[in-house]
Amino acid sequence: MYGRKPVQEALEDPDLRVDKVILAEGLHGGPVRAILDAARARGVPVQRASAHRVKVLAGNGRHDQGVLADVVAPRMAPVAEFLDALAPGAPAAVLVLDRVTNPANVGMILRSATAAGLDGVLLPRRGVPAIDPLVVKASAGVAFRAPVLRAGTVEEGCTALRDAGFALHGLDAGGSSLLDADLPPRVALVLGNETDGLSATVRPLLDGVLGIPMHGGVESLGVASAGAVTAFELARRRHA
């Protein structure tokens, strides 16, 4: 997380655990003193680093304001750990990101999936942006509370889900209607790359391909919008 106000709000939020705060060397003033006071009250260590180092860590030098914080995401877990914790036969709904590359899209999908009450969003370590300040900002802070599942690659994650009894369906404009599909209690829906869609290495792992019905001459939705529709369709089915 970066920026003076967001970092101060994180320090003042008792539901968030902050591991450390990093301030640019030579940074002073009232807002900085407030951050130092809040960190001291929480027992959070504060480190100093060069302004360049802070910009590199933030990945967004125009908005970091010389302040960073490492915040713990308590619902993040390896996919194997998530699957081990599922009760035998328990229903579950998961979104899988297959090489979605735009941090803003990743953040918005995390926000939608969390709001819909889904059980997980699989974010592979390769091919998908890390949960960095850009993703956190796009999620409006929800990334810290999102049920993030980690795997080395999307293929490894999909295989683990299939082995645990999940039906895997890709989302593609040419698929049959998601709204009419007969889905089992355990299901994972895969969202593909913004430009290329579902990858060639993931398609063989799928049980089918579903699409969101389009009207008015619209060919498809952006991946973040498609993720939101998909998340709430899964939530609707759960609560129907």
Side-chain angles (χ1 to χ4, degrees):
M1 173 177 283
Y2 56 76
R4 297 176 188 178
K5 185 175 180 181
V7 168
Q8 184 174 349
E9 290 176 348
L11 288 167
E12 294 172 348
D13 186 342
D15 294 328
L16 292 181
R17 195 182 106 206
V18 182
D19 269 355
K20 66 176 176 288
V21 172
I22 303 175
L23 296 177
E25 293 169 347
L27 200 64
H28 301 289
V32 176
R33 284 195 299 272
I35 290 171
L36 291 171
D37 290 343
R40 191 178 302 113
R42 292 276 304 269
V44 175
V46 178
Q47 301 175 4
R48 290 280 184 171
S50 68
H52 174 71
R53 178 61 177 162
V54 171
K55 291 184 187 301
V56 169
L57 291 172
N60 190 342
R62 291 179 299 172
H63 301 292
D64 63 73
Q65 299 179 307
V67 181
L68 290 175
D70 277 348
V71 182
V72 175
R75 297 182 70 191
M76 183 185 296
V79 65
E81 186 177 304
F82 162 76
L83 294 172
D84 287 343
L86 277 180
V94 172
L95 294 184
V96 178
L97 303 194
D98 174 17
R99 296 171 177 85
V100 175
T101 58
N102 188 318
N105 286 334
V106 175
M108 288 187 283
I109 292 168
L110 288 176
R111 182 175 177 82
S112 297
T114 304
L118 297 194
D119 299 287
V121 181
L122 177 66
L123 266 60
R125 290 185 176 84
R126 277 175 283 190
V128 176
I131 300 181
D132 61 10
L134 294 175
V135 171
V136 172
K137 183 177 181 181
S139 76
V142 172
F144 297 125
R145 302 188 297 277
V148 176
L149 311 180
R150 305 314 302 263
T153 66
V154 64
E155 293 83 5
E156 292 172 4
C158 285
T159 299
L161 289 168
R162 284 199 67 179
D163 290 346
F166 279 75
L168 264 68
H169 292 272
L171 208 67
D172 187 275
S176 56
S177 173
L178 166 66
L179 306 184
D180 299 327
D182 183 15
L183 298 177
R186 286 192 177 186
V187 62
L189 295 183
V190 185
L191 302 168
N193 175 266
E194 291 90 341
T195 302
D196 301 325
L198 298 167
S199 60
T201 53
V202 166
R203 283 185 179 271
L205 302 174
L206 301 177
D207 297 299
V209 178
L210 302 173
I212 298 170
M214 296 284 108
H215 302 281
V218 177
E219 293 184 359
S220 64
L221 298 176
V223 67
S225 297
V229 172
T230 302
F232 280 94
E233 170 61 13
L234 292 174
R236 182 193 68 79
R237 289 167 177 259
R238 172 175 290 180
H239 298 295

